[in-house]
């Protein structure tokens, strides 16, 4: 999460990029997918995750949308 006063400055994009680089090192072993969830009304998050290749599954985690990225 990025505090509102720092949003729109590229910090979230950089954080996701770095997280995916770390995940690609397979720190916990082989994995086929990376998944995350976000609130359905958060269109900025949906767009950001989509730009990295995350695709909504149609499933929910509580009240949040699930999106996956094939690794």
């Amino acid at each position: 999460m990025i505090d509102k006063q720092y949003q729109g400055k590229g910090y979230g994009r950089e954080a996701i990029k770095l997280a995916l680089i770390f995940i690609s090192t397979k720190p916990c072993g082989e994995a086929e997918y990376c998944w995350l969830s976000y609130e359905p009304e958060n269109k900025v998050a949906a767009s950001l995750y989509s730009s990295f290749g995350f695709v909504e599954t149609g499933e929910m985690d509580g009240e949040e949308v699930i999106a996956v990225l094939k690794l």
Side-chain angles (χ1 to χ4, degrees):
M1 289 188 246
I2 306 295
D3 189 88
K4 190 167 188 84
Q5 69 184 21
Y6 297 106
Q7 291 178 4
K9 299 179 187 282
Y11 298 125
R13 179 169 299 282
E14 186 66 16
I16 294 169
K17 184 175 100 177
L18 291 172
L20 291 174
I21 288 169
F22 177 70
I23 290 168
S24 74
T25 69
K26 302 175 183 167
C28 297
E30 292 290 326
E32 190 173 347
Y33 295 95
C34 174
W35 76 273
L36 50 75
S37 64
Y38 51 89
E39 296 176 349
E41 64 273 6
N42 191 341
K43 302 303 180 195
V44 173
S47 177
L48 176 63
Y49 299 137
S50 176
S51 75
F52 280 93
F54 283 88
V55 178
E56 293 181 4
T57 65
E59 298 175 79
M60 302 290 282
D61 180 23
E63 295 182 8
E64 295 190 346
V65 174
I66 295 174
V68 299
L69 175 67
K70 182 151 176 57
L71 300 173

